[in-house]
Amino acid sequence: MKIQRIIQHQVEHRMVPGKVVLLLGPRQVGKTTLLRDILAKESAPFLFLSGEDRATQAWRNRPSNYPPSFFQLKGNRFRT
């Protein structure tokens, strides 16, 4: 049984095309689970990045002169 999160409706409402939703909080409180539950119902394309993923950490910590490419984030979810 899943727990209905108080902020779920607020997060869903803020998820609009072309925008970034960043969910911050302590470890192990259900941030990833909440987002995965929301994205499971999503039909539009999305990119899901997790700060726990090593590919995301490497991309985030790249030298500033290195151009970003979301497609280098092989461990993350990208749906078109």
XYZ file of all heavy atoms in Angstrom:
655
model
N 0.840 -1.183 0.000
C 0.000 0.000 0.000
C 0.886 1.249 0.000
O 1.787 1.388 0.807
C -0.892 -0.001 1.235
C -1.835 1.172 1.257
S -3.033 1.024 2.586
C -2.282 2.044 3.801
N 0.624 2.115 -0.945
C 1.369 3.367 -1.053
C 0.727 4.435 -0.178
O -0.487 4.512 -0.062
C 1.388 3.869 -2.497
C 2.138 2.979 -3.442
C 3.567 3.397 -3.492
C 4.265 2.518 -4.506
N 5.500 3.010 -4.923
N 1.579 5.274 0.380
C 1.105 6.401 1.186
C 0.855 7.583 0.260
O 1.704 7.923 -0.563
C 2.161 6.791 2.240
C 2.393 5.630 3.199
C 1.744 8.048 2.980
C 3.559 5.839 4.136
N -0.313 8.191 0.346
C -0.607 9.384 -0.437
C 0.175 10.548 0.154
O 0.008 10.890 1.321
C -2.111 9.700 -0.418
C -2.493 10.944 -1.188
C -2.284 10.796 -2.683
O -2.404 9.712 -3.226
N -1.975 11.877 -3.349
N 1.058 11.131 -0.632
C 1.894 12.233 -0.162
C 1.120 13.545 -0.219
O 0.407 13.830 -1.178
C 3.148 12.354 -1.018
C 3.974 11.099 -1.093
C 4.636 10.821 0.214
N 5.420 9.602 0.113
C 6.094 9.080 1.088
N 6.075 9.650 2.266
N 6.768 7.983 0.926
N 1.284 14.346 0.801
C 0.598 15.633 0.887
C 0.986 16.536 -0.278
O 0.155 17.251 -0.820
C 0.912 16.320 2.237
C 0.331 15.505 3.386
C 0.393 17.741 2.265
C 0.774 15.947 4.766
N 2.249 16.489 -0.693
C 2.712 17.406 -1.736
C 2.518 16.868 -3.157
O 2.833 17.550 -4.121
C 4.196 17.783 -1.544
C 5.098 16.573 -1.744
C 4.416 18.437 -0.210
C 6.552 16.938 -1.907
N 1.983 15.666 -3.314
C 1.863 15.077 -4.643
C 1.096 15.976 -5.607
O 1.532 16.204 -6.729
C 1.213 13.695 -4.580
C 1.154 13.035 -5.943
C 0.788 11.579 -5.867
O 0.816 10.974 -4.794
N 0.436 10.998 -6.982
N -0.039 16.494 -5.180
C -0.842 17.359 -6.050
C -0.054 18.615 -6.427
O -0.101 19.055 -7.584
C -2.166 17.728 -5.375
C -3.006 18.647 -6.210
N -3.638 18.225 -7.356
C -3.276 19.968 -6.094
C -4.271 19.251 -7.901
N -4.077 20.318 -7.146
N 0.674 19.188 -5.483
C 1.460 20.394 -5.765
C 2.554 20.114 -6.790
O 2.782 20.920 -7.701
C 2.081 20.936 -4.476
C 1.064 21.425 -3.485
C 1.686 21.732 -2.129
O 2.809 21.355 -1.844
N 0.927 22.422 -1.289
N 3.218 18.978 -6.662
C 4.272 18.614 -7.612
C 3.667 18.385 -8.992
O 4.173 18.891 -9.999
C 5.047 17.369 -7.126
C 6.024 16.890 -8.187
C 5.777 17.671 -5.822
N 2.588 17.631 -9.058
C 1.934 17.358 -10.343
C 1.497 18.654 -11.023
O 1.644 18.803 -12.240
C 0.723 16.447 -10.135
C 1.080 15.045 -9.749
C -0.123 14.212 -9.351
O -1.173 14.773 -8.963
O 0.002 12.982 -9.415
N 0.977 19.595 -10.256
C 0.505 20.867 -10.796
C 1.655 21.690 -11.389
O 1.466 22.437 -12.336
C -0.213 21.659 -9.701
C -0.807 22.940 -10.175
N -1.875 22.983 -11.037
C -0.473 24.227 -9.920
C -2.180 24.246 -11.297
N -1.342 25.015 -10.622
N 2.849 21.552 -10.816
C 4.001 22.326 -11.276
C 4.741 21.682 -12.443
O 5.636 22.280 -13.012
C 4.953 22.567 -10.115
C 4.401 23.592 -9.147
C 5.269 23.711 -7.910
N 4.892 24.820 -7.078
C 3.894 24.831 -6.209
N 3.141 23.761 -6.092
N 3.628 25.883 -5.480
N 4.380 20.471 -12.788
C 5.035 19.783 -13.893
C 4.394 20.207 -15.212
O 3.365 19.671 -15.617
C 4.953 18.272 -13.699
C 5.756 17.806 -12.508
S 5.656 16.032 -12.227
C 6.595 15.448 -13.616
N 5.010 21.167 -15.869
C 4.517 21.658 -17.147
C 5.644 21.533 -18.175
O 6.822 21.576 -17.819
C 4.023 23.120 -17.052
C 2.822 23.223 -16.134
C 5.120 24.037 -16.564
N 5.304 21.353 -19.453
C 6.323 21.197 -20.491
C 7.329 22.350 -20.506
O 6.960 23.509 -20.332
C 5.509 21.171 -21.782
C 4.161 20.686 -21.366
C 3.951 21.252 -19.988
N 8.588 22.001 -20.661
C 9.643 23.004 -20.767
C 10.151 23.530 -19.434
O 10.993 24.419 -19.410
N 9.645 23.022 -18.347
C 10.051 23.494 -17.022
C 10.754 22.382 -16.246
O 10.582 21.200 -16.522
C 8.841 23.978 -16.209
C 8.130 25.144 -16.841
C 9.023 26.363 -16.862
C 8.297 27.531 -17.502
N 9.154 28.682 -17.653
N 11.520 22.792 -15.254
C 12.240 21.858 -14.389
C 11.571 21.840 -13.025
O 11.243 22.891 -12.480
C 13.719 22.290 -14.232
C 14.431 21.436 -13.208
C 14.425 22.255 -15.578
N 11.364 20.655 -12.498
C 10.870 20.504 -11.136
C 11.999 19.875 -10.343
O 12.491 18.807 -10.683
C 9.618 19.604 -11.077
C 9.218 19.351 -9.634
C 8.472 20.239 -11.839
N 12.409 20.552 -9.297
C 13.488 20.075 -8.440
C 12.912 19.794 -7.072
O 12.309 20.665 -6.452
C 14.583 21.147 -8.347
C 15.810 20.829 -7.522
C 16.561 19.656 -8.136
C 16.701 22.057 -7.469
N 13.069 18.574 -6.622
C 12.529 18.170 -5.334
C 13.698 17.884 -4.400
O 14.468 16.960 -4.625
C 11.659 16.922 -5.504
C 10.825 16.484 -4.322
C 9.882 17.597 -3.872
C 10.026 15.244 -4.682
N 13.834 18.714 -3.373
C 14.932 18.586 -2.419
C 14.401 18.154 -1.062
O 13.289 18.516 -0.683
C 15.650 19.930 -2.259
C 16.306 20.515 -3.496
C 16.817 21.919 -3.199
C 17.428 19.632 -3.967
N 15.223 17.435 -0.320
C 14.839 17.023 1.023
C 15.825 16.031 1.578
O 16.753 15.606 0.897
N 15.634 15.645 2.827
C 16.529 14.677 3.459
C 16.518 13.338 2.725
O 15.572 13.027 1.990
C 15.959 14.512 4.867
C 14.983 15.609 5.054
C 14.559 16.067 3.702
N 17.539 12.548 2.966
C 17.608 11.213 2.364
C 16.524 10.309 2.954
O 16.103 10.474 4.094
C 18.976 10.599 2.642
C 20.102 11.303 1.922
C 21.402 10.636 2.265
N 21.335 9.231 1.874
C 22.196 8.640 1.068
N 23.196 9.309 0.573
N 22.070 7.362 0.778
N 16.074 9.374 2.100
C 15.174 8.304 2.536
C 13.803 8.774 3.032
O 13.228 8.164 3.931
C 15.853 7.464 3.628
C 17.164 6.841 3.215
C 16.989 5.782 2.131
O 16.136 4.925 2.239
N 17.793 5.865 1.081
N 13.284 9.854 2.445
C 11.942 10.297 2.848
C 10.895 10.060 1.760
O 9.734 10.382 1.956
C 11.930 11.796 3.271
C 12.775 11.993 4.503
C 12.363 12.694 2.143
N 11.315 9.508 0.592
C 10.363 9.167 -0.458
C 10.321 10.107 -1.646
O 9.374 10.063 -2.426
N 11.336 10.955 -1.829
C 11.340 11.892 -2.965
C 11.335 11.145 -4.297
O 10.510 11.426 -5.169
C 12.577 12.804 -2.900
C 12.641 13.693 -1.681
C 13.915 14.517 -1.667
C 15.186 13.719 -1.706
N 15.452 12.874 -0.524
N 12.234 10.181 -4.442
C 12.326 9.421 -5.692
C 11.071 8.598 -5.916
O 10.549 8.550 -7.037
C 13.567 8.522 -5.674
O 14.727 9.353 -5.520
C 13.699 7.742 -6.972
N 10.559 7.965 -4.884
C 9.336 7.172 -5.009
C 8.169 8.045 -5.454
O 7.399 7.663 -6.349
C 9.002 6.489 -3.669
O 10.103 5.656 -3.302
C 7.731 5.673 -3.763
N 8.038 9.219 -4.861
C 6.978 10.145 -5.243
C 7.093 10.521 -6.716
O 6.114 10.443 -7.467
C 7.030 11.409 -4.375
C 6.113 12.556 -4.792
C 4.651 12.146 -4.667
C 6.406 13.791 -3.969
N 8.286 10.896 -7.149
C 8.463 11.305 -8.545
C 8.248 10.142 -9.508
O 7.653 10.322 -10.574
C 9.840 11.919 -8.743
C 10.020 13.284 -8.084
C 11.458 13.764 -8.235
C 9.057 14.299 -8.663
N 8.707 8.973 -9.166
C 8.492 7.808 -10.039
C 7.014 7.477 -10.157
O 6.540 7.116 -11.234
C 9.279 6.613 -9.533
C 10.754 6.750 -9.825
C 11.518 5.510 -9.460
N 12.918 5.696 -9.824
C 13.924 5.087 -9.247
N 13.689 4.244 -8.260
N 15.153 5.306 -9.634
N 6.275 7.594 -9.068
C 4.827 7.359 -9.114
C 4.144 8.379 -10.021
O 3.260 8.033 -10.805
C 4.219 7.423 -7.711
C 4.595 6.235 -6.844
O 5.128 5.242 -7.380
O 4.355 6.312 -5.620
N 4.542 9.624 -9.919
C 3.956 10.679 -10.753
C 4.319 10.449 -12.214
O 3.472 10.525 -13.100
C 4.422 12.069 -10.281
C 3.822 12.394 -8.904
C 4.043 13.143 -11.300
C 4.404 13.630 -8.244
N 5.595 10.159 -12.488
C 6.052 9.988 -13.870
C 5.497 8.738 -14.530
O 5.388 8.676 -15.752
C 7.576 9.992 -13.928
C 8.228 11.329 -13.577
C 9.744 11.190 -13.524
C 7.828 12.406 -14.571
N 5.133 7.745 -13.737
C 4.534 6.526 -14.295
C 3.216 6.832 -14.999
O 2.823 6.129 -15.928
C 4.318 5.491 -13.195
N 2.537 7.886 -14.565
C 1.254 8.285 -15.161
C 1.436 9.317 -16.270
O 0.482 9.663 -16.955
C 0.331 8.867 -14.090
C 0.017 7.906 -12.962
C -0.913 8.529 -11.950
C -0.142 9.502 -11.085
N -0.916 10.077 -9.981
N 2.652 9.817 -16.448
C 2.929 10.916 -17.389
C 3.041 10.387 -18.813
O 3.716 9.397 -19.064
C 4.228 11.615 -16.985
C 4.570 12.827 -17.801
C 3.497 13.895 -17.739
O 3.080 14.262 -16.634
O 3.081 14.348 -18.818
N 2.385 11.059 -19.748
C 2.461 10.654 -21.155
C 3.433 11.530 -21.953
O 3.897 11.125 -23.002
C 1.069 10.703 -21.793
O 0.558 12.022 -21.724
N 3.738 12.713 -21.445
C 4.651 13.622 -22.145
C 6.103 13.173 -21.939
O 6.419 12.482 -20.974
C 4.471 15.047 -21.610
N 7.004 13.563 -22.857
C 8.419 13.231 -22.682
C 8.980 13.868 -21.411
O 8.550 14.944 -21.009
C 9.107 13.836 -23.907
C 8.030 14.174 -24.859
C 6.776 14.331 -24.065
N 9.934 13.187 -20.782
C 10.553 13.737 -19.581
C 11.969 13.207 -19.424
O 12.340 12.203 -20.019
C 9.736 13.405 -18.333
C 9.652 11.924 -18.030
C 10.672 11.284 -17.331
C 8.569 11.188 -18.439
C 10.607 9.937 -17.062
C 8.491 9.838 -18.161
C 9.513 9.211 -17.479
N 12.741 13.897 -18.632
C 14.078 13.457 -18.245
C 14.110 13.428 -16.730
O 13.835 14.440 -16.083
C 15.146 14.419 -18.777
C 16.586 14.138 -18.321
C 17.077 12.802 -18.877
C 17.496 15.271 -18.756
N 14.419 12.288 -16.149
C 14.476 12.138 -14.700
C 15.933 11.995 -14.287
O 16.616 11.086 -14.714
C 13.692 10.897 -14.274
C 13.757 10.613 -12.813
C 12.917 11.268 -11.930
C 14.659 9.702 -12.313
C 12.964 11.005 -10.580
C 14.730 9.438 -10.957
C 13.891 10.090 -10.083
N 16.420 12.921 -13.485
C 17.791 12.882 -12.987
C 17.775 12.684 -11.483
O 17.022 13.347 -10.779
C 18.518 14.197 -13.308
C 18.581 14.589 -14.773
C 19.209 15.967 -14.912
C 19.350 13.564 -15.560
N 18.621 11.808 -11.012
C 18.737 11.567 -9.577
C 20.126 11.978 -9.122
O 21.124 11.576 -9.715
C 18.517 10.079 -9.271
O 18.832 9.820 -7.919
N 20.192 12.777 -8.070
C 21.472 13.202 -7.531
C 22.266 12.050 -6.947
O 23.465 12.172 -6.710
N 21.627 10.902 -6.721
C 22.315 9.713 -6.208
C 23.018 8.945 -7.321
O 23.864 8.114 -7.062
C 21.314 8.790 -5.508
C 20.683 9.392 -4.276
C 21.681 9.565 -3.146
O 22.515 8.672 -2.930
O 21.632 10.616 -2.490
N 22.637 9.203 -8.574
C 23.196 8.488 -9.712
C 24.595 9.016 -10.051
O 24.797 10.225 -10.162
C 22.255 8.646 -10.917
C 22.749 7.894 -12.121
O 22.594 6.656 -12.139
O 23.296 8.539 -13.026
N 25.550 8.131 -10.243
C 26.936 8.549 -10.516
C 27.066 9.298 -11.841
O 27.878 10.208 -11.947
C 27.865 7.348 -10.478
C 27.997 6.774 -9.081
C 29.215 5.882 -8.994
N 29.288 5.185 -7.727
C 29.813 5.702 -6.628
N 30.282 6.919 -6.642
N 29.844 4.995 -5.512
N 26.287 8.927 -12.842
C 26.353 9.639 -14.122
C 25.889 11.082 -13.957
O 26.467 12.001 -14.546
C 25.499 8.917 -15.174
N 24.859 11.306 -13.170
C 24.382 12.663 -12.894
C 25.436 13.443 -12.126
O 25.703 14.609 -12.434
C 23.068 12.636 -12.079
O 22.097 11.905 -12.810
C 22.555 14.040 -11.812
N 26.059 12.823 -11.133
C 27.098 13.490 -10.354
C 28.271 13.884 -11.231
O 28.795 14.994 -11.132
C 27.574 12.582 -9.217
C 26.525 12.346 -8.165
C 26.927 11.269 -7.173
O 28.043 10.765 -7.204
N 26.015 10.915 -6.292
N 28.695 12.991 -12.138
C 29.810 13.293 -13.038
C 29.450 14.445 -13.971
O 30.255 15.335 -14.221
C 30.183 12.048 -13.843
N 28.219 14.435 -14.486
C 27.784 15.503 -15.386
C 27.724 16.838 -14.648
O 28.175 17.851 -15.142
C 26.411 15.156 -15.975
C 25.854 16.223 -16.844
C 26.181 16.473 -18.136
C 24.873 17.209 -16.481
N 25.470 17.535 -18.600
C 24.663 18.016 -17.604
C 24.174 17.469 -15.311
C 23.763 19.068 -17.600
C 23.282 18.513 -15.306
C 23.084 19.298 -16.440
N 27.194 16.808 -13.428
C 27.058 18.020 -12.627
C 28.428 18.586 -12.251
O 28.600 19.798 -12.165
C 26.253 17.710 -11.363
C 25.950 18.926 -10.516
C 25.289 18.534 -9.209
N 26.238 17.765 -8.423
C 25.917 16.752 -7.637
N 24.679 16.368 -7.534
N 26.828 16.106 -6.959
N 29.405 17.719 -12.033
C 30.735 18.147 -11.602
C 31.716 18.347 -12.751
O 32.908 18.517 -12.509
C 31.308 17.117 -10.615
C 30.499 17.052 -9.344
O 29.939 18.049 -8.903
N 30.407 15.877 -8.758
N 31.237 18.356 -14.000
C 32.119 18.520 -15.159
C 32.756 19.909 -15.146
O 32.203 20.845 -14.550
C 31.331 18.319 -16.443
C 30.413 19.491 -16.751
C 29.420 19.199 -17.843
N 28.642 20.356 -18.166
C 27.705 20.888 -17.416
N 27.412 20.361 -16.280
N 27.047 21.955 -17.795
N 33.901 20.058 -15.814
C 34.503 21.403 -15.921
C 33.528 22.365 -16.594
O 32.749 21.973 -17.458
C 35.731 21.169 -16.802
C 36.013 19.706 -16.697
C 34.678 19.028 -16.465
N 33.571 23.618 -16.206
C 32.599 24.598 -16.711
C 32.713 24.816 -18.217
O 31.768 25.254 -18.846
C 32.760 25.929 -15.985
O 34.066 26.430 -16.195
N 33.866 24.504 -18.816
C 34.023 24.702 -20.263
C 33.565 23.475 -21.061
O 33.642 23.458 -22.272
C 35.474 25.029 -20.614
C 36.432 23.917 -20.223
O 36.075 23.014 -19.482
N 37.654 23.998 -20.700
N 33.077 22.463 -20.358
C 32.608 21.247 -21.017
C 31.113 21.372 -21.273
O 30.331 21.533 -20.339
C 32.900 20.038 -20.118
C 32.576 18.719 -20.755
C 33.386 18.197 -21.748
C 31.469 17.993 -20.348
C 33.108 16.974 -22.323
C 31.173 16.768 -20.913
C 31.992 16.268 -21.897
O 31.709 15.063 -22.469
N 30.686 21.325 -22.535
C 29.257 21.542 -22.826
C 28.400 20.408 -22.280
O 28.750 19.237 -22.399
C 29.203 21.579 -24.351
C 30.418 20.854 -24.800
C 31.460 21.038 -23.730
N 27.275 20.745 -21.667
C 26.399 19.708 -21.117
C 25.673 18.935 -22.214
O 25.366 19.472 -23.267
C 25.406 20.500 -20.273
C 25.381 21.850 -20.890
C 26.774 22.085 -21.438
N 25.444 17.678 -21.979
C 24.653 16.857 -22.879
C 23.836 15.889 -22.031
O 24.395 15.040 -21.347
C 25.540 16.079 -23.848
O 24.755 15.146 -24.565
N 22.536 16.030 -22.062
C 21.685 15.144 -21.275
C 21.816 13.694 -21.727
O 21.599 12.784 -20.968
C 20.226 15.584 -21.349
C 19.948 16.838 -20.591
C 19.438 17.952 -21.227
C 20.196 16.906 -19.239
C 19.185 19.104 -20.522
C 19.945 18.056 -18.522
C 19.437 19.156 -19.180
N 22.204 13.474 -22.984
C 22.289 12.113 -23.489
C 23.510 11.370 -22.953
O 23.646 10.186 -23.141
C 22.267 12.117 -25.009
C 20.961 12.638 -25.534
C 20.870 13.915 -26.045
C 19.816 11.874 -25.474
C 19.666 14.416 -26.501
C 18.609 12.362 -25.927
C 18.526 13.636 -26.442
N 24.400 12.071 -22.244
C 25.527 11.419 -21.592
C 25.085 10.768 -20.290
O 25.842 10.009 -19.705
C 26.631 12.426 -21.306
C 27.267 12.985 -22.553
C 28.168 14.151 -22.244
O 27.989 14.826 -21.242
N 29.106 14.407 -23.122
N 23.920 11.055 -19.845
C 23.415 10.544 -18.577
C 22.726 9.209 -18.794
O 21.518 9.088 -18.701
C 22.470 11.573 -17.948
C 23.107 12.928 -17.703
C 22.049 13.941 -17.309
C 24.171 12.836 -16.647
N 23.498 8.210 -19.109
C 22.956 6.915 -19.517
C 22.197 6.199 -18.418
O 21.335 5.389 -18.683
C 24.092 6.039 -20.039
C 24.715 6.601 -21.278
C 25.880 5.771 -21.739
C 26.528 6.446 -22.943
N 27.745 5.801 -23.341
N 22.501 6.479 -17.153
C 21.819 5.782 -16.073
C 20.479 6.382 -15.704
O 19.800 5.872 -14.838
N 20.084 7.451 -16.341
C 18.846 8.146 -15.998
C 17.734 7.805 -16.972
O 17.966 7.273 -18.045
C 19.094 9.646 -15.972
C 20.046 10.007 -14.859
O 19.673 10.017 -13.708
N 21.302 10.247 -15.201
N 16.512 8.143 -16.574
C 15.357 7.852 -17.427
C 15.097 9.010 -18.375
O 14.993 10.148 -17.978
C 14.112 7.634 -16.567
C 14.112 6.306 -15.867
C 12.851 6.095 -15.086
N 11.668 6.239 -15.923
C 10.445 6.262 -15.418
N 10.244 6.163 -14.138
N 9.415 6.396 -16.202
N 15.008 8.675 -19.652
C 14.645 9.656 -20.666
C 13.602 9.001 -21.533
O 13.815 7.919 -22.066
C 15.857 10.044 -21.504
C 15.543 11.055 -22.562
C 15.291 12.376 -22.212
C 15.471 10.700 -23.880
C 14.983 13.327 -23.179
C 15.165 11.636 -24.860
C 14.932 12.951 -24.501
N 12.460 9.625 -21.652
C 11.397 9.051 -22.472
C 10.960 10.073 -23.490
O 10.682 11.226 -23.159
C 10.215 8.646 -21.597
C 9.124 7.964 -22.425
C 8.041 7.409 -21.578
N 7.272 8.491 -20.992
C 6.472 8.329 -19.959
N 6.373 7.173 -19.378
N 5.789 9.339 -19.491
N 10.904 9.655 -24.742
C 10.430 10.537 -25.826
C 9.096 10.054 -26.321
O 8.649 8.985 -26.021
C 11.420 10.569 -26.997
O 11.592 9.243 -27.494
C 12.733 11.150 -26.569
